[in-house]
């Protein structure tokens, strides 16, 4: 669905959209009234806990739960034997196996049994009574090691047809994108560099652990409350695992204390449902922080080879990357997205990426904002920076010279429509930050980033209440301000004050299918459906006004929150406001509502440029972030406060990824830092204020020009920080995180 008139959009003066209205969830959250996953309770509720494997890789020979079941206060124990096997859907079968191990425990923390009891103390005591006979197997946690001949094998026969014969059984898929002739392009270069870059897995670091409350009745009908980014996904997945009809399971999303992609799958929910079915009682489950880090999905770790050729005037002649991502113990690492996005910011005649999806003895990866893209951008942007500086060229000018623009054939296939990369680069070059002086041991880094954005199944209903207020019902958990944005777009379209609209997140029984809140889709897709729902309501209200006035429906138009005669021939009727039409709705046909469902195309890709100054302590290797500025195209910033927050949040998470955050596994395959004391995320005192510059290049696929903004902001920081630190240290670093010991080692090697 495209803009009706692109020029009209560019000159349109919005009244509500683009302002900084009060956020609707603010009071509830600061007063503690908001109900998160762990706040849910039910009469007769049991508490459940999970027994997890202490081994990185082990065959489960037997499980004896009899002593636990005999413990007073224990009402039920489940193992994999309590679930039906799934043979017709490998994806769902893998999710079940991740929720409850079958023949093998595949990573440290893999669930093998669960207990429901009267209290936390009894449940934990019961876990100690469960006897599991393990046959410990060799393990592998490094992606390159997992690809070697003779590496421990997690699964036999899972590789798809894209994988060449003779490769390790741990390599499950191969992806390739690009065009042109790499070797011919490299031959035209004045310099070619080849580098290998490595990144460690990092966790999304949401403050709220996973939690759910399940209640299944004897009639097979069930209710589930959980913290999630997509309760329709939870319904569909759990119904498939439990052998239920989707309509038998109603899922309600709680407020969410952070997700960032990590709450786009299920971990506890099928287990809670199985325990509720077995005990005929409601069952509540809440993860500890250790469980979150050991057993839920971090992002992938990566090993990437890059080969790029450049002329002395900064023209990239050819670019190649081979990306190896491990996605934990199951197929589905984000290497496909990494391969697609690696060179997406550039207009290249000769480009190719090859990606390998590899399994290791780690927890199944989950999305982390733009999944797969930050690692790819880190490698590519580091190599481009090294080439530019090797020729003594301005790194921003080199990126501008090679930047993708409208009409560029993207490295992954399509031709770009109107995009904002060039605008972000020019804004960065003109910004005072770029010209600011640097001191000793300080460096400045820049990098570009890209994300696809998408639409997905969407369903919205807009109801006009009898007193003229408006309720928007949508099916996506609010993780980035969507309730405010939907209310603003509805108010804009209806011509009424923002305060007159309330947006709620409906349960799965109230609306049609809605895609997960991910992919930077909600403001675009749900916003589009909200606008169309408002337009449907306006048409109905014009029809009602026509009935009151006794004129034809097409003789009425909607302006400034009221129905007006469309012209002098329609009569001189005074405008009927939305409230006036709502007040007489019962006499003109009944309740008034607008509804829209769609799977919209035209989400519009997103680009950003980041700039950062760092200082390296030559005695300790510690890195300090001095200044950080984000330049990103939002299409149209519906609520600038939220947009700036998304820019800043992505930058901060990328800074943590670049400098400190990493999964550390011992030689025994056990996670060594399963807590926030040892897994170091940035806090406010580690950071300056993140400055933001919002660019608005309208997306022609949305009525208001909106593009998603939630994911692109995490793509450039890894490379921008690495480029800055490499300049400050005087030595190029090629492995993340750049923790003080690694920086100090690089300084000493220099």
């Amino acid at each position: 669905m495209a803009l009706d008139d692109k020029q009209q959009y560019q000159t349109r003066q919005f009244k509500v959209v683009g302002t900084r209205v009060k956020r609707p969830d603010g009071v509830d959250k600061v007063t503690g009234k908001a109900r998160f996953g762990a706040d849910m309770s039910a009469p007769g509720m049991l508490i459940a806990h999970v027994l997890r494997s202490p081994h990185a890789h082990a065959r489960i020979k037997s499980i004896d739960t009899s002593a636990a079941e005999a413990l007073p206060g224990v009402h039920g124990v489940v193992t994999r034997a309590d679930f039906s096997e799934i043979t017709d859907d490998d994806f769902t079968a893998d999710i079940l196996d991740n929720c409850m191990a079958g023949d093998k425990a595949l990573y440290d923390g893999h669930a093998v049994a669960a207990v429901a009891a009267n209290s936390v103390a009894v449940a934990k005591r019961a876990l100690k009574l469960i006897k599991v006979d393990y046959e410990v197997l060799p393990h592998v946690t490094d992606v390159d090691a997992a690809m070697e001949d003779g590496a421990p094998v997690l699964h036999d026969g899972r590789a798809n047809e894209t994988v060449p014969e003779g490769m390790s059984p741990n390599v499950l898929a191969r992806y390739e994108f690009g065009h042109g002739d790499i070797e011919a392009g490299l031959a035209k270069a004045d310099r070619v560099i080849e580098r290998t870059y490595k990144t460690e897995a990092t966790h999304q670091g949401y403050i709220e652990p996973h939690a759910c409350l399940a209640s299944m009745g004897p009639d097979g009908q069930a209710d589930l409350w959980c913290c999630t980014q997509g309760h329709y996904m939870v319904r569909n997945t759990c119904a498939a695992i439990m052998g239920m009809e989707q309509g038998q399971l109603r899922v309600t999303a709680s407020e969410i204390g952070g997700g960032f992609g990590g709450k786009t799958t299920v971990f506890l929910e099928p287990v809670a449902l199985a325990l509720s079915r077995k005990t005929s009682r409601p069952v509540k489950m809440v993860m500890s922080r250790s469980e979150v880090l050991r057993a839920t999905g971090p992002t992938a770790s990566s090993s990437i080879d890059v080969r790029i050729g450049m002329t002395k005037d900064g023209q990239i002649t050819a670019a190649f990357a081979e990306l190896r991502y491990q996605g934990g113990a199951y197929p589905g690492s984000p290497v496909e997205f990494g391969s697609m996005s690696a060179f997406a910011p550039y207009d290249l005649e000769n480009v190719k990426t090859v990606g390998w999806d590899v399994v290791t003895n780690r927890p199944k990866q989950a999305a982390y904002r733009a999944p797969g893209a930050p690692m790819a951008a880190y490698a590519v942007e580091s190599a481009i920076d090294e080439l530019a500086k090797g020729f003594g060229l301005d790194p921003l000018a080199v990126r501008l010279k090679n930047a993708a623009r409208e009409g560029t054939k993207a490295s992954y296939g399509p031709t770009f429509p109107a995009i904002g990369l060039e605008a972000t680069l020019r804004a960065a070059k003109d910004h005072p930050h770029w010209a600011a002086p640097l001191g000793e041991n300080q460096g400045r880094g820049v990098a570009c980033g890209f994300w696809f954005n998408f639409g997905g199944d969407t369903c919205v209903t807009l109801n006009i209440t009898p007193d003229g207020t408006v309720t928007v019902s949508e099916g996506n958990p609010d993780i980035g301000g969507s309730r405010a944005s939907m209310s603003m777009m509805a108010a804009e379209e209806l011509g009424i004050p923002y305060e007159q609209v309330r947006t709620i997140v409906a349960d799965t029984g109230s609306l049609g299918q809605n895609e997960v809140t991910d992919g930077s889709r909600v403001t675009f897709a749900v916003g589009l459906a909200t606008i169309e729902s408002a337009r449907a309501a306006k048409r109905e209200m014009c029809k009602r006004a026509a009935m009151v006035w006794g004129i034809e429906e097409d003789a009425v138009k909607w302006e400034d929150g009221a129905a007006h005669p469309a012209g002098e021939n329609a009569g001189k009727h005074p405008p009927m406001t939305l409230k006036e039409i709502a007040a007489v709705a019962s006499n003109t046909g009944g309740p008034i509502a607008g509804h829209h469902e769609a799977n919209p195309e035209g989400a519009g890709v997103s680009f950003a440029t980041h700039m950062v100054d760092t200082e390296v302590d030559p005695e300790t290797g510690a890195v300090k972030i001095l200044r950080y500025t984000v330049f990103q195209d939002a299409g149209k910033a519906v609520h600038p406060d939220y947009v700036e927050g998304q820019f800043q949040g992505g930058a901060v998470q990328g800074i943590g990824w670049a400098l400190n955050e990493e999964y550390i596994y011992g030689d025994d395959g056990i996670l060594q830092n399963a807590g926030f004391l040892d897994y170091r995320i940035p806090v406010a005192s580690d950071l300056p204020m993140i400055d933001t510059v919002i660019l608005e290049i309208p997306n022609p696929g949305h009525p208001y020009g909106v593009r998603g903004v939630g994911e692109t902001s995490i793509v450039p920081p890894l490379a921008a920080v690495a480029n800055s630190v490499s300049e400050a240290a005087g030595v190029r670093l090629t492995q993340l995180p750049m923790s003080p010991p690694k920086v100090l080692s690089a300084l000493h090697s220099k």
Side-chain angles (χ1 to χ4, degrees):
M1 184 175 300
L3 290 172
D4 299 329
D5 187 330
K6 185 174 180 180
Q7 187 63 36
Q8 180 184 17
Y9 165 80
Q10 292 173 325
T11 59
R12 175 173 178 169
Q13 296 297 311
F14 289 98
K15 295 180 179 179
V16 181
V17 167
T19 63
R20 300 174 187 262
V21 298
K22 290 182 180 179
R23 54 187 295 172
D25 56 337
V27 172
D28 285 355
K29 286 180 176 174
V30 300
T31 59
K33 182 182 176 182
R35 299 188 72 192
F36 294 88
D39 294 325
M40 301 300 173
S41 62
M45 180 177 75
L46 301 174
I47 303 297
H49 278 272
V50 175
L51 180 68
R52 300 187 179 277
S53 169
H55 306 293
H57 195 193
R59 194 173 309 282
I60 300 173
K61 299 174 70 175
S62 65
I63 303 177
D64 183 357
T65 63
S66 57
E69 291 171 316
L71 183 69
V74 171
H75 290 259
V77 180
V78 296
T79 66
R80 182 60 172 272
D82 292 279
F83 295 87
S84 299
E85 291 304 315
I86 298 169
T87 59
D88 60 345
D89 183 347
D90 287 344
F91 179 75
T92 305
D94 285 343
I95 294 176
L96 168 59
D97 198 68
N98 191 43
C99 292
M100 188 63 65
D103 295 335
K104 293 198 298 183
L106 294 172
Y107 56 88
D108 166 41
H110 199 166
V112 296
V115 173
N118 289 337
S119 68
V120 172
V122 173
K124 289 185 174 181
R125 198 177 311 136
L127 293 183
K128 296 178 181 179
L129 298 176
I130 298 175
K131 298 177 182 178
V132 184
D133 184 7
Y134 293 104
E135 176 192 346
V136 179
L137 303 172
H139 65 273
V140 61
T141 58
D142 177 75
V143 63
D144 289 322
M147 296 180 72
E148 294 176 357
D149 290 338
V153 175
L154 278 73
H155 310 280
D156 284 312
R158 290 295 302 272
N160 68 25
E161 66 279 2
T162 62
V163 179
E165 291 186 12
M167 299 201 73
S168 165
N170 295 324
V171 181
L172 301 189
R174 179 186 185 274
Y175 300 93
E176 181 177 323
F177 301 93
H179 53 259
D181 186 327
I182 297 298
E183 296 305 322
L186 292 175
K188 298 177 183 178
D190 292 314
R191 185 185 177 199
V192 176
I193 66 168
E194 297 185 42
R195 298 286 184 268
T196 297
Y197 303 89
K198 293 196 172 187
T199 69
E200 245 307 336
T202 58
H203 201 273
Q204 299 85 354
Y206 35 80
I207 300 303
E208 178 199 25
H210 294 262
C212 68
L213 173 65
S215 179
M216 182 177 287
D219 58 355
Q221 303 287 319
D223 283 281
L224 182 65
W225 297 264
C226 59
C227 52
T228 179
Q229 290 178 235
H231 45 308
Y232 288 81
M233 171 276 300
V234 172
R235 178 196 66 183
N236 300 350
T237 303
C238 289
I241 289 174
M242 300 299 296
M244 304 170 61
E245 297 288 341
Q246 292 177 1
Q248 292 180 298
L249 176 60
R250 183 178 64 173
V251 182
T252 303
S254 68
E255 289 287 352
I256 184 170
F260 315 112
K263 292 177 180 174
T264 57
T265 187
V266 301
F267 299 105
L268 297 175
E269 292 84 355
V271 179
L273 284 165
L275 284 166
S276 181
R277 179 170 62 185
K278 196 167 192 177
T279 62
S280 298
R281 299 269 291 274
V283 173
K284 182 176 180 176
M285 302 184 77
V286 180
M287 279 190 175
S288 67
R289 182 60 57 187
S290 175
E291 288 181 297
V292 168
L293 288 167
R294 288 175 67 206
T296 69
T299 189
S301 61
S302 71
S303 176
I304 304 173
D305 299 331
V306 172
R307 187 157 46 119
I308 300 178
M310 183 181 287
T311 61
K312 58 187 177 182
D313 65 350
Q315 184 69 47
I316 299 174
T317 60
F320 172 80
E322 183 173 21
L323 304 91
R324 300 171 294 276
Y325 287 13
Q326 66 79 25
Y330 302 92
S333 79
V335 72
E336 181 179 11
F337 291 147
S339 301
M340 295 170 73
S341 62
F343 296 108
Y346 300 108
D347 186 353
L348 304 175
E349 184 178 351
N350 306 293
V351 59
K352 182 179 179 180
T353 57
V354 174
W356 302 97
D357 181 18
V358 184
V359 290
T360 63
N361 293 113
R362 295 186 182 219
K364 177 179 172 62
Q365 73 85 37
Y368 186 4
R369 293 183 103 137
M375 304 86 103
Y378 161 60
V380 169
E381 294 291 313
S382 294
I384 290 175
D385 206 68
E386 184 177 350
L387 278 166
K389 290 178 178 176
F391 285 123
L393 300 173
D394 179 330
L396 274 178
V398 167
R399 288 170 171 83
L400 267 168
K401 186 180 186 71
N402 296 280
R405 296 170 170 84
E406 183 173 1
T408 292
K409 180 177 174 59
S411 58
Y412 62 97
T415 298
F416 286 133
I419 57 174
L421 176 62
E422 184 178 6
T424 69
L425 285 164
R426 294 196 183 282
K429 198 167 181 61
D430 294 339
H431 196 274
H433 185 171
W434 184 237
L438 291 168
E440 188 177 2
N441 300 318
Q442 295 178 358
R444 177 167 297 140
V446 295
C448 297
F450 159 89
W451 186 245
F452 308 90
N453 298 339
F454 77 104
D457 290 338
T458 305
C459 184
V460 170
T461 293
L462 183 149
N463 287 291
I464 310 293
T465 60
D467 67 357
T469 53
V470 176
T471 300
V472 177
S473 298
E474 53 117 334
N476 285 90
D478 182 356
I479 65 171
S482 59
R483 282 172 291 190
S485 296
M486 297 314 120
S487 294
M488 293 174 75
M489 284 187 271
E492 185 75 50
E493 194 63 35
L494 293 171
I496 60 177
Y498 163 78
E499 293 77 13
Q500 206 169 319
V501 184
R502 182 188 184 193
T503 297
I504 64 169
V505 180
D507 63 54
T508 58
S510 302
L511 290 172
Q513 172 71 17
N514 279 272
E515 183 59 71
V516 176
T517 301
D518 66 357
S520 297
R521 62 169 294 273
V522 173
T523 306
F524 164 75
V526 182
L528 186 151
T530 298
I531 292 167
E532 290 302 320
S533 295
R535 289 176 177 177
K538 287 195 299 185
R539 289 192 293 271
E540 181 62 25
M541 288 188 287
C542 287
K543 177 181 177 182
R544 302 298 179 89
M547 292 176 63
V548 172
W549 293 333
I551 61 177
E552 293 296 323
E553 182 180 340
D554 59 6
V556 181
K557 63 180 180 179
W558 190 269
E559 287 182 354
D560 298 324
H564 297 255
E568 292 184 3
N569 292 338
K572 295 184 178 181
H573 304 285
M576 284 190 74
T577 66
L578 184 150
K579 285 190 175 184
E580 291 171 335
I581 294 170
V584 297
S586 295
N587 299 325
T588 58
I592 299 172
H595 182 82
H596 190 76
E597 60 282 312
N599 187 333
E601 303 292 336
V605 297
S606 175
F607 290 92
T609 298
H610 287 205
M611 187 184 305
V612 57
D613 296 350
T614 62
E615 181 175 286
V616 173
D617 186 331
E619 295 184 359
T620 66
V623 176
K624 182 178 182 181
I625 304 292
L626 302 174
R627 186 173 183 179
Y628 203 110
T629 308
V630 176
F631 307 86
Q632 185 171 325
D633 171 23
K636 177 61 184 178
V638 177
H639 193 306
D641 280 354
Y642 279 114
V643 172
E644 290 167 355
Q646 293 286 351
F647 290 3
Q648 292 165 332
V652 171
Q653 289 178 316
I655 289 168
W657 198 337
L659 295 182
N660 291 299
E661 295 184 48
E662 62 177 322
Y663 266 45
I664 301 172
Y665 282 93
D667 292 339
D668 56 1
I670 305 304
L671 185 63
Q672 302 294 300
N673 57 335
F676 279 160
L677 287 177
D678 299 307
Y679 182 91
R680 178 77 165 83
I681 64 173
V683 295
S685 58
D686 295 322
L687 302 160
M689 174 58 70
I690 308 295
D691 295 321
T692 60
V693 177
I694 301 173
L695 285 305
E696 294 186 321
I697 292 79
N699 170 23
H702 188 276
Y704 291 176
V706 167
R707 298 179 195 270
V709 301
E711 291 176 277
T712 310
S713 54
I714 202 173
V715 181
L718 281 63
V721 174
N723 291 336
S724 177
V725 170
S726 296
E727 181 177 287
V731 59
R732 176 66 57 174
L733 287 97
T734 58
Q735 187 172 344
L736 300 184
M738 297 175 293
S739 55
K742 292 178 184 175
V743 175
L744 197 59
S745 176
L747 288 170
H748 289 164
S749 69
K750 181 181 68 170

